[in-house]
Amino acid sequence: MTLRDGPPGETDMFNKVLIANRGAIATRITRTLRRLGVTSVAVYAEADLDSLHVREADEAWPLGDGTATDTYLNQDKLFEIIEQAGIEAVHPGYGFLSENPDFVERCEAAGVVFIGPRPHQMTEFGLKHTAREIAEKADVPLLPGTGLLDDRESALKAADEIGYPVMLKSSAGGGGIGMQICHDRETLDKAWDSVRRLSANNFANDSVFLEKYIENARHIEVQVFGDGNGKAVALGERDCSAQRRHQKVLEEAPAPNLPDEVRQTLHETAPRLVSAVNYRNAGTVEFILDQDTNRFYFLEMNTRLQVEHGVTEQVYGVDLVEWMVKLAAGELGDIQAMVADLRPRGHAIQARLYAEDPNKDFQPCAGLLTHVEFPEADGAKRRIDHWIEPGLEISPLFDPMLAKVIVHEADRDSALRALDKTLNETIIEGIETNREYVLTIMADSVFADGRMTTRYLNGFSYQPATIDVLASGTMTTVQDYPGRIGYWPVGIPPSGPMDSLSFRLANRLLGNEESV
């Protein structure tokens, strides 16, 4: 165990809160707990020993070496630390155990407060077919679809009745896993076994169902917060349509080009859904919006804090992590009174920076960070949630997200310019990242005009300005021009590119100075 020097917490809210997570969200929770005067207790896999959240936490306990299963998902190790460290509450962040009802039940059995929803709410919303049933009872618009399907023949018959295209979906899990668009009977017939097998392998549940597929769809989600006693509020909506393989790349609030009456109806519908089950703590209700008709339909409910919660915080001037901790401690107060005078201010956009190589089909990139430099943060206009520093080794064992860059300005155009400037001033060297890919998306007219759909990035063309050496040799050495000159007197021979003209032409093609 490592301890950070400093005074103990100054509040009776909780003495110690365990942060059962890593990366940017763990750093974010640590800083909120410090502001509240609560002792933060971090846990870390050996690969994350040098992470920012480990250094900033009041206490840090090791989980050993290995993968997520061996470390952050190892409940037995976590509960050993909970007992030894005298933990009173656990904040799960997002991912890992944040939506695991078994973990919540173990917390409750151990007398530890879980800062999040109740376990049965995770179970009910975690399975998409039961979530649809709850939504139907709450009079929330649903896409035409089915319950759980028993066999291939039932699926084919239901698809004929719904009308193609349809989406064959796993009831369990998320992140785009276990989903297949089917445009005809032949595609559905072939997808039946593969989707069920994928679902069983990833979620230990091969249950599937069908939904009508909207070709020209936007992904709109509403931030909700419930007090656990039937009161729930909405804190605006976010547009998360800029997705690659169902993984979000850019998120913003409020959603652009959304009619006011649709926006208002969304804000009324989402709290109605969660209040129907006395939902507790933060959550997100996700909707599919038909771009052609502006009609929206319930997609799913995420019973946790979202990665993109920061854009909502910037627009509404709130701290959702603080709300979560205070609610769990019984110190939040009346949430409906708290939001009565809240109004959205300006526009916020978030870009996710990943350790991945867009030139190699976005494969994750592990390695040593040699240079990390972010522009100075400004709480009101520029916020950067991250966990990295120079000298940190990025492990291949965990999610490759490095940072969330968020800007907040008076309007969307200003926010786009601010995000472009911030990303251009951001330096992450030593490994490949998706920074240039994000900048290229932002410069595209479709994104600039706010006309994204969930399929937008599927056909987006990105040509990185990089050189990929497939087979190296003596003539492929790349050195600076003009190189080392006049060094003979001190024993170092002159050197430089073997063909200085070609090297300068290459720089010109890439938009670099010829002398670089």
Side-chain angles (χ1 to χ4, degrees):
M1 181 183 72
T2 60
L3 293 175
R4 183 176 66 82
D5 293 334
E10 299 176 354
T11 180
D12 294 328
M13 183 189 305
F14 291 120
N15 288 320
K16 287 186 177 183
V17 172
L18 181 80
I19 305 167
N21 217 293
R22 65 179 293 276
I25 185 59
T27 305
R28 160 89 167 86
I29 296 169
T30 296
R31 292 172 178 175
T32 296
L33 291 176
R34 179 185 298 126
R35 193 177 68 254
L36 293 174
V38 177
T39 299
S40 59
V41 180
V43 291
Y44 62 93
E46 192 62 31
D48 287 333
L49 173 62
D50 297 322
S51 293
L52 198 57
H53 82 279
V54 176
R55 193 176 75 244
E56 291 195 0
D58 297 300
E59 299 181 16
W61 293 69
L63 292 168
D65 206 357
T67 65
T69 301
D70 302 319
T71 56
Y72 296 102
L73 292 173
N74 190 322
Q75 295 190 35
D76 291 337
K77 284 185 179 179
L78 287 172
F79 278 100
E80 287 177 10
I81 293 171
I82 286 171
E83 182 177 358
Q84 293 176 38
I87 298 298
E88 294 177 321
V90 173
H91 197 303
Y94 42 68
F96 292 137
L97 296 168
S98 62
E99 293 181 284
N100 187 312
D102 294 334
F103 179 65
V104 183
E105 289 174 353
R106 285 190 67 172
C107 286
E108 293 177 348
V112 176
V113 176
F114 179 81
I115 302 175
R118 299 181 174 96
H120 72 87
Q121 293 168 342
M122 291 182 175
T123 301
E124 291 169 349
F125 282 119
L127 294 173
K128 297 181 182 68
H129 74 283
T130 56
R132 279 179 60 92
E133 293 171 1
I134 296 171
E136 186 174 19
K137 291 178 182 177
D139 196 28
V140 175
L142 289 169
L143 287 165
T146 70
L148 294 184
L149 295 164
D150 296 324
D151 51 56
R152 188 192 315 264
E153 289 68 30
S154 299
L156 291 169
K157 181 180 178 182
D160 288 337
E161 295 173 354
I162 295 170
Y164 289 94
V166 295
M167 178 81 83
L168 181 62
K169 302 176 74 169
S170 163
S171 181
I177 300 174
M179 297 168 59
Q180 176 68 53
I181 302 169
C182 303
H183 289 276
D184 50 44
R185 288 176 62 89
E186 182 181 358
T187 308
L188 177 56
D189 184 57
K190 291 180 179 178
W192 176 260
D193 288 330
S194 62
V195 170
R196 293 187 67 191
R197 183 170 56 252
L198 195 63
S199 180
N201 291 341
N202 283 277
F203 313 121
N205 185 328
D206 67 355
S207 301
V208 294
F209 67 102
L210 283 175
E211 273 186 347
K212 177 68 177 175
Y213 178 69
I214 304 296
E215 294 269 14
N216 199 18
R218 294 174 65 182
H219 185 131
I220 307 293
E221 59 187 32
V222 178
Q223 176 68 56
V224 293
F225 202 96
D227 68 356
N229 296 310
K231 288 184 179 180
V233 296
L235 288 169
E237 83 290 340
R238 300 183 286 256
D239 189 311
C240 305
S241 301
Q243 305 175 11
R244 187 187 62 80
R245 298 172 186 167
H246 303 290
Q247 296 293 327
K248 300 164 186 173
V249 179
L250 287 148
E251 303 108 333
E252 57 187 298
N257 302 322
L258 191 65
D260 289 341
E261 62 272 19
V262 176
R263 196 186 312 274
Q264 183 60 35
T265 307
L266 281 165
H267 295 178
E268 295 168 355
T269 302
R272 184 169 71 244
L273 172 68
V274 298
S275 63
V277 296
N278 294 327
Y279 185 78
R280 182 182 70 186
N281 226 278
T284 299
V285 185
E286 303 195 357
F287 296 94
I288 284 292
L289 183 136
D290 190 331
Q291 182 85 306
D292 298 326
T293 64
N294 276 323
R295 296 183 63 182
F296 64 84
Y297 307 91
F298 173 72
L299 179 63
E300 63 182 355
M301 168 73 184
N302 283 298
T303 53
R304 56 172 169 80
L305 197 65
Q306 292 279 86
V307 175
E308 59 273 19
H309 72 277
V311 295
T312 295
E313 292 183 323
Q314 296 300 101
V315 168
Y316 280 85
V318 299
D319 184 331
L320 289 171
V321 172
E322 178 179 330
W323 283 27
M324 294 175 75
V325 174
K326 285 186 174 180
L327 178 72
E331 296 188 8
L332 185 62
D334 188 331
I335 58 174
Q336 290 180 336
M338 290 171 60
V339 304
D341 296 324
L342 282 181
R343 298 292 182 271
R345 298 174 296 103
H347 198 96
I349 307 178
Q350 170 179 290
R352 302 189 189 194
L353 293 183
Y354 285 98
E356 60 186 15
D357 188 350
N359 197 31
K360 296 182 178 178
D361 199 26
F362 295 90
Q363 71 179 27
C365 292
L368 180 69
L369 295 177
T370 57
H371 187 182
V372 176
E373 185 176 334
F374 292 105
E376 186 175 352
D378 175 347
K381 290 194 170 187
R382 178 189 283 158
R383 167 176 160 181
I384 300 172
D385 291 355
H386 71 95
W387 59 282
I388 57 175
E389 292 180 315
L392 189 71
E393 187 83 25
I394 301 301
S395 169
L397 300 175
F398 305 112
D399 185 90
M401 189 167 69
L402 302 174
K404 301 182 297 178
V405 179
I406 308 168
V407 296
H408 179 219
E409 294 288 342
D411 53 59
R412 188 173 189 268
D413 288 343
S414 300
L416 281 171
R417 289 193 296 271
L419 183 56
D420 181 85
K421 183 175 186 295
T422 300
L423 289 175
N424 273 296
E425 292 174 354
T426 296
I427 302 172
I428 301 176
E429 294 179 348
I431 61 172
E432 294 292 333
T433 74
N434 69 330
R435 186 185 70 109
E436 290 295 332
Y437 173 69
V438 174
L439 283 166
T440 306
I441 294 171
M442 291 170 54
D444 185 66
S445 61
V446 173
F447 188 84
D449 295 340
R451 296 182 284 109
M452 310 81 65
T453 68
T454 55
R455 301 178 64 191
Y456 159 55
L457 292 182
N458 293 355
F460 183 74
S461 177
Y462 172 66
Q463 297 294 327
T466 59
I467 297 174
D468 196 1
V469 179
L470 300 179
S472 61
T474 57
M475 299 300 291
T476 59
T477 299
V478 176
Q479 299 183 46
D480 288 347
Y481 173 84
R484 296 191 295 245
I485 299 174
Y487 278 80
W488 277 118
V490 293
I492 301 174
S495 65
M498 294 181 180
D499 179 354
S500 62
L501 177 61
S502 296
F503 189 71
R504 282 180 287 170
L505 289 174
N507 266 325
R508 183 180 294 178
L509 287 171
L510 295 175
N512 297 330
E513 294 292 332
E514 289 188 15
S515 60
V516 171

